[in-house]
Amino acid sequence: MIVYTFDRTLNGLLSAVFDAFSLHEMPEALLGAGDPLPLFYDRIHEVVTDEEKAHRVWTGLEKKLSSRGLHVISVSYLSELKELDIHLFKYICKVFKYTGALSLERNFSDEDVLFCTNTCRRVHHEALRMKQFLRFQKALDGTYLGVIHPDQNVLPLVIEHFQDRFNDQCFLIFDARRKYGYYYDKQAITRITFAEGQALPFDLETGKMDEQLLAENDKIFQVLWKTYFKAICIKERLNPKKQAGDMPRRYWKYMTEKQ
Amino acid sequence: MLTESTIEKLRILTESAKYDVSCSSSGTVRSGKKGMVGNTVGGVGICHSFADDGRCISLLKVMLTNYCMYDCAYCVNRRTNDIKRATLSVSELEEIVMEFYRRNYIEGLFLSSGVVRNPDYTMERLVRIAKDLRTIHRFNGYIHLKSIPGASRELVNEAGLYADRMSVNIEIPKEESLKLLAPEKDHKSVYQPMKFIMQGVLENKEDRKHLKHVPRFVPAGQSTQMIVGATAETDKDILTLSSALYGQPTMRRVYYSGYVSVNTYDPRLPILKQPPLVRENRLYQADWLMRFYQFKVDEIVDDAHEQLDLDVDPKLAWALRHPEQFPVDINKDDYERILRVPGIGVKSALLIVNSRRFNRITSYHLKKMGVVMKKAKYFITCGELTNLFSGPIIGVNEIQPERLRPLLLSSKQKKEMNERKQLTFDFGD
């Protein structure tokens, strides 16, 4: 059994594909560096991430797949799912080996193709949930702050939507799980991180902005929204199961109406 | 400036508006514009929250006022009801919409109103708010306006310039029932504004062919709603009307609202312990079959089956009535036929027709693709589920529909059915 280890980046994975083809071998496992190794194995190959190799593999993929197929690869990778690595790796290898006239990306009876396509769908689903459930609070200086905690790294997928929608307001959207965010200043978007130990202007646990920074009218709109949320419910039709299905509880902690 | 009284007003007017089901923010894609706030995303729209009753909150659904001159028996806001009344001022409402929108609470506004003085007076005030939002507040998000029954064509035409979607509620499918519950209304007052909206959209389409910069008129079309369970209409009456409405070029959605007993004192209305939620759900499923599964209304309900089956969904009910249509061969039959198999939806049907060009599809693949095999296995043949290799298959034709039906019910449903049988057992006198 041949084991490949890599740095769990997309470029690393593409480099692994390159190595597999140049060494004429097919690894059975693809692990992150430092992951526990399987009990028995013949040989470990440590993949060194190489921009040049990754680029060559990607250009090769561009010739073999439609833009939709490339989209599946790059978006599914945002899921950060460990299980995905080997499926994606095998999928890419199959694409290069396939010689038929059809486009392999549409063979959903293939386990790897289906897994990557479904993962891509799941990532998009969570991206939609961020568009739905993100809540902004307004600060004294007019900046809007929204904190999210998605399971998958979907922030890059949704930022354009918010920029398009709120193009005349400054806002900061922060991913509390991955500790980075995007700031929009009515001109451009910048990626920001807070240094270790630096004081955050909000509470990571609740997503609430510090009281003294909050715009003076923000409280009343929070109250109005909570009032609306309660009033719109028809008590004869209570259905907490459906509510939790459409709006999973793990997102509630940052949502104004559920705080 | 907003005060405590605004909170109370918003509460009252929301409670008055909540029985209107329409909520979607779908049907139009409009990207952001410089100097304006907002965009609309199209597709299925965005639901920003889900209330405790499980219904989605996409738009700020509110009434401008809940004073009303009509006395419709099914409506919570009827003039003779003793409820708290309120009216939001124009500036209050506009501020709430803009501030909610900027906080990503809502996709836009769904505004309706009780009828005060006369339909035109009321409609004019609704139009004014939509116009203010677009021109003064530079709001580029979603606006859904209720067209007041009996409003004039000029006002409907003006409203259409600012609204994304407009709706007029039919409420009661048959005119004689409507006359009974709402003597002051008739179907003409509903169909008239519907026609105005449709004509407006069609004329606008024609104009836009010649001139590029004509603004769009009600780009997301119109919707309507029917109350279910307040009157004696059968599902056949309701679905036949829906199907006719979908035949019109601008009708996008028909909503069904299970009647909630709001005015229990009125002898013309039934007293329901619970809104007819299962029936409502079956109607929506039937609606989906008509819109996405290429079913005709007379395939779902006919003279022999005037009501939808409450125990099984309408697609399964159809399949059990038509065993001669099965089995469907997953590897050979058309997309349309695969779509008719219970347990296979649009998503998995598309996966199937794409994949079967590469290799034969087996039940293992189907399971992986998300097909509900518990149902589907009785209606298909595929890779290994054929009678060529593995002997006779056990499908709907072998088991017989009437014996298959109980196999497909959940244990909870079976228990309920047994209880019903026991209760109706008649010992005689």
Side-chain angles (χ1 to χ4, degrees):
Chain A
M1 180 170 172
I2 304 166
V3 177
Y4 276 23
T5 61
F6 76 124
D7 62 355
R8 300 210 71 230
T9 62
L10 188 53
N11 276 344
L13 190 113
L14 295 174
S15 308
V17 174
F18 188 95
D19 287 2
F21 274 90
S22 60
L23 298 170
H24 296 288
E25 63 186 15
M26 187 49 99
E28 269 94 37
L30 190 62
L31 300 172
D35 282 352
L37 293 166
L39 224 43
F40 305 103
Y41 56 88
D42 302 322
R43 190 163 55 77
I44 296 185
H45 170 73
E46 197 181 314
V47 177
V48 182
T49 303
D50 182 338
E51 294 274 337
E52 179 62 35
K53 288 180 189 170
H55 183 72
R56 275 182 64 185
V57 174
W58 190 256
T59 356
L61 281 173
E62 278 173 347
K63 282 179 200 141
K64 289 267 192 178
L65 294 176
S66 72
S67 61
R68 170 95 205 123
L70 295 170
H71 176 90
V72 167
I73 293 176
S74 49
V75 169
S76 65
Y77 210 76
L78 294 175
S79 71
E80 299 180 343
L81 209 62
K82 277 209 161 143
E83 227 185 318
L84 175 79
D85 294 341
I86 189 70
H87 284 293
L88 197 55
F89 177 84
K90 283 192 194 159
Y91 173 27
I92 295 174
C93 292
K94 277 179 197 168
V95 168
F96 285 119
K97 283 178 185 159
Y98 179 73
T99 49
L102 302 167
S103 185
L104 191 75
E105 72 202 51
R106 286 164 79 182
N107 183 7
F108 304 107
S109 60
D110 184 288
E111 207 180 349
D112 299 316
V113 179
L114 188 67
F115 191 91
C116 297
T117 313
N118 281 342
T119 309
C120 170
R121 186 178 289 138
R122 257 200 300 280
V123 174
H124 274 297
H125 193 174
E126 195 172 32
L128 174 68
R129 281 184 161 152
M130 291 307 118
K131 292 179 194 170
Q132 296 177 295
F133 303 142
L134 177 119
R135 297 286 177 264
F136 279 126
Q137 301 158 69
K138 191 178 181 183
L140 269 177
D141 67 351
T143 307
Y144 289 79
L145 166 77
V147 184
I148 56 174
H149 193 270
D151 299 335
Q152 309 170 86
N153 188 14
V154 295
L155 188 48
L157 289 179
V158 299
I159 194 70
E160 250 176 58
H161 163 80
F162 286 108
Q163 184 191 2
D164 185 51
R165 173 162 292 197
F166 303 114
N167 61 49
D168 69 339
Q169 71 190 43
C170 298
F171 61 79
L172 165 65
I173 301 177
F174 194 78
D175 182 336
R177 181 182 286 232
R178 292 166 191 81
K179 306 275 187 303
Y180 79 99
Y182 287 108
Y183 176 69
Y184 174 68
D185 61 357
K186 299 186 198 179
Q187 305 291 332
I189 289 173
T190 12
R191 189 191 150 104
I192 57 152
T193 48
F194 290 97
E196 197 71 35
Q198 192 183 350
L200 295 171
F202 54 89
D203 185 349
L204 260 186
E205 280 307 305
T206 61
K208 281 197 175 151
M209 209 192 298
D210 296 342
E211 290 280 335
Q212 64 268 27
L213 289 175
L214 210 59
E216 55 208 58
N217 68 357
D218 200 76
K219 267 274 143 64
I220 185 155
F221 287 109
Q222 292 190 21
V223 174
L224 270 170
W225 175 239
K226 284 181 189 171
T227 311
Y228 176 77
F229 182 78
K230 268 195 208 119
I232 199 77
C233 163
I234 298 178
K235 298 193 179 51
E236 289 86 347
R237 302 181 56 125
L238 279 189
N239 193 349
K241 223 172 159 183
K242 179 167 185 303
Q243 182 190 32
D246 289 327
M247 187 168 79
R249 274 168 207 276
R250 61 181 182 279
Y251 301 122
W252 288 9
K253 62 176 173 178
Y254 295 134
M255 293 176 68
T256 315
E257 63 268 34
K258 280 292 176 191
Q259 274 167 351
Chain B
M1 197 56 220
L2 304 179
T3 58
E4 287 292 313
S5 76
T6 316
I7 299 177
E8 181 61 11
K9 279 197 243 173
L10 181 71
R11 195 184 61 74
I12 294 170
L13 291 167
T14 306
E15 298 216 341
S16 283
K18 69 183 174 187
Y19 297 101
D20 214 307
V21 223
S22 169
C23 69
S24 74
S25 50
S26 56
T28 169
V29 183
R30 190 171 54 234
S31 51
K33 290 196 188 98
K34 206 117 201 86
M36 288 187 96
V37 196
N39 60 6
T40 61
V41 295
V44 290
I46 296 179
C47 305
H48 281 282
S49 192
F50 290 84
D52 293 338
D53 54 12
R55 301 189 308 157
C56 91
I57 302 174
S58 177
L59 306 170
L60 175 70
K61 192 186 321 185
V62 72
M63 291 185 113
L64 189 56
T65 176
N66 63 349
Y67 288 98
C68 189
M69 58 186 230
Y70 290 133
D71 198 32
C72 312
Y74 49 79
C75 179
V76 70
N77 302 312
R78 60 190 291 190
R79 139 185 109 226
T80 48
N81 256 9
D82 180 26
I83 55 164
K84 280 192 184 162
R85 306 276 172 173
T87 305
L88 273 172
S89 76
V90 172
S91 64
E92 274 174 325
L93 181 61
E94 286 166 3
E95 190 178 352
I96 294 175
V97 172
M98 294 312 293
E99 294 292 333
F100 274 16
Y101 193 82
R102 287 189 177 280
R103 284 168 176 75
N104 204 37
Y105 295 165
I106 54 171
E107 277 299 287
L109 174 66
F110 176 11
L111 187 62
S112 96
S113 174
V115 183
V116 257
R117 281 199 225 170
N118 58 56
D120 272 352
Y121 176 82
T122 315
M123 190 70 199
E124 211 177 325
R125 300 208 309 168
L126 296 188
V127 175
R128 151 103 199 269
I129 290 188
K131 185 179 178 182
D132 273 11
L133 281 173
R134 291 282 193 236
T135 53
I136 298 173
H137 298 275
R138 311 294 293 155
F139 179 65
N140 195 30
Y142 203 88
I143 297 181
H144 180 158
L145 276 191
K146 203 38 132 344
S147 181
I148 303 295
S152 72
R153 173 146 199 190
E154 289 69 38
L155 282 170
V156 174
N157 278 349
E158 199 190 345
L161 296 177
Y162 309 113
D164 287 288
R165 172 167 284 179
M166 292 184 71
S167 62
V168 201
N169 285 353
I170 294 177
E171 306 290 14
I172 311 289
K174 278 196 172 165
E175 183 144 31
E176 59 261 31
S177 314
L178 181 70
K179 276 276 173 232
L180 179 73
L181 295 183
E184 296 143 312
K185 282 188 183 167
D186 55 18
H187 264 174
K188 188 177 160 251
S189 65
V190 176
Y191 289 125
Q192 195 71 30
M194 261 188 199
K195 222 171 92 192
F196 291 157
I197 298 168
M198 188 179 83
Q199 284 167 349
V201 173
L202 296 180
E203 278 166 25
N204 177 253
K205 231 184 210 162
E206 200 53 41
D207 290 348
R208 284 169 59 84
K209 272 186 199 155
H210 306 300
L211 296 159
K212 224 181 163 186
H213 296 293
V214 177
R216 295 190 70 183
F217 184 91
V218 200
Q222 50 180 329
S223 67
T224 189
Q225 143 177 332
M226 285 186 252
I227 297 178
V228 178
T231 48
E233 275 86 349
T234 59
D235 292 340
K236 182 174 169 245
D237 299 328
I238 295 171
L239 289 171
T240 311
L241 182 55
S242 310
S243 161
L245 288 168
Y246 284 133
Q248 291 180 8
T250 55
M251 183 58 68
R252 298 289 171 79
R253 273 302 290 276
V254 177
Y255 291 92
Y256 310 95
S257 160
Y259 174 66
V260 183
S261 292
V262 279
N263 303 325
T264 40
Y265 56 84
D266 197 312
R268 290 172 292 174
L269 288 166
I271 293 173
L272 307 173
K273 257 194 235 146
Q274 255 244 306
L277 295 178
V278 179
R279 185 176 172 203
E280 183 192 291
N281 179 247
R282 295 287 178 236
L283 282 169
Y284 275 116
Q285 288 175 324
D287 191 84
W288 249 247
L289 290 184
M290 294 197 287
R291 292 194 296 141
F292 304 117
Y293 289 78
Q294 305 167 5
F295 273 77
K296 298 250 163 24
V297 62
D298 47 12
E299 292 177 296
I300 304 168
V301 277
D302 52 39
D303 288 330
H305 305 90
E306 288 202 316
Q307 300 286 7
L308 293 172
D309 195 330
L310 293 185
D311 291 325
V312 297
D313 65 81
K315 192 174 169 191
L316 182 56
W318 175 84
L320 290 173
R321 288 204 299 272
H322 295 278
E324 78 282 357
Q325 300 275 346
F326 298 100
V328 166
D329 188 339
I330 291 295
N331 286 301
K332 284 207 189 84
D333 279 323
D334 295 341
Y335 171 75
E336 289 75 23
R337 297 240 317 164
I338 291 176
L339 212 47
R340 296 225 160 190
V341 176
I344 297 184
V346 175
K347 183 196 125 195
S348 27
L350 281 174
L351 292 184
I352 290 167
V353 289
N354 271 309
S355 317
R356 65 183 183 186
R357 302 186 302 166
F358 293 88
N359 41 260
R360 283 177 76 76
I361 306 291
T362 67
S363 63
Y364 171 79
H365 295 135
L366 292 177
K367 212 178 245 168
K368 283 264 172 196
M369 287 176 195
V371 172
V372 185
M373 284 304 276
K374 221 163 69 181
K375 275 190 209 169
K377 66 177 174 189
Y378 299 107
F379 301 95
I380 55 167
T381 58
C382 60
E384 79 284 17
L385 284 178
T386 63
N387 38 13
L388 279 178
F389 303 108
S390 52
I393 55 155
I394 308 193
V396 61
N397 287 305
E398 285 72 20
I399 304 183
Q400 296 299 315
E402 55 274 21
R403 280 199 289 157
L404 176 59
R405 199 186 129 95
L407 296 180
L408 293 168
L409 296 180
S410 68
S411 54
K412 194 176 145 216
Q413 278 177 320
K414 270 183 225 161
K415 215 170 123 194
E416 277 169 9
M417 238 166 58
N418 285 336
E419 274 166 19
R420 244 180 293 160
K421 256 184 218 156
Q422 282 171 3
L423 287 176
T424 52
F425 193 78
D426 192 0
F427 286 95
D429 285 340

